[in-house]
Amino acid sequence: METIKSIVHWLSYAYYLYVFGYASLFKVFQKQSMMQSMDSLGFNKPWTLGIGIGELLGVIFLLIGLYKPEFKTVGILLLFPFAIGAFTAHMAHQEYNHYYNSLLMCMLSIILLATDKNFKISI
């Protein structure tokens, strides 16, 4: 069971890093298709760059987290609101073809935290 949990964690981590990695870089480097998509959602250039920089910071924390696990947790907690925001924005604009990926990122945030050996919630 522990092996399955570990496999799920690292596969989720790899996909999470991939999605947020390319999305943040597309925003920061202002790829035309991303800028048009963000504009259609109501985000102008400064907002898009701000979101991209925030996501990129989360991705950097995820990468540092490979060596220092506490940074991975910080990266996930930083990126989780961006996943929720993307899901909300796509649903509000009825872009149902795009909302699946953002919904998956919301779910993977929870899965990553739940399967992380170094993260615990104490109540």
Side-chain angles (χ1 to χ4, degrees), residues 8-24 54-55 57-63 71-84 101-113:
V8 167
H9 179 81
W10 289 108
L11 287 176
S12 299
Y13 178 83
Y15 190 68
Y16 197 77
L17 189 60
Y18 166 73
V19 169
F20 274 112
Y22 83 77
S24 66
E55 289 176 346
L57 184 61
V59 168
I60 290 168
F61 279 126
L62 285 177
L63 291 172
F71 284 95
K72 181 172 64 169
T73 302
V74 171
I76 294 166
L77 291 173
L78 179 65
L79 291 171
F80 190 33
F82 288 106
I84 294 169
N101 217 18
S102 55
L103 176 62
L104 182 59
M105 292 302 102
C106 291
M107 292 173 15
L108 288 182
S109 297
I110 303 297
I111 290 169
L112 284 168
L113 292 173

Side-chain angles (χ1 to χ4, degrees), residues 17-64:
L17 189 60
Y18 166 73
V19 169
F20 274 112
Y22 83 77
S24 66
L25 291 175
F26 282 3
K27 290 176 184 102
V28 170
F29 291 120
Q30 301 175 28
K31 184 174 181 191
Q32 188 65 29
S33 60
M34 179 63 79
M35 297 305 282
Q36 288 172 345
S37 176
M38 292 296 285
D39 189 47
S40 73
L41 293 173
F43 297 102
N44 59 14
K45 187 175 178 178
W47 273 102
T48 301
L49 288 174
I51 292 168
I53 290 168
E55 289 176 346
L56 187 58
L57 184 61
V59 168
I60 290 168
F61 279 126
L62 285 177
L63 291 172
I64 294 170

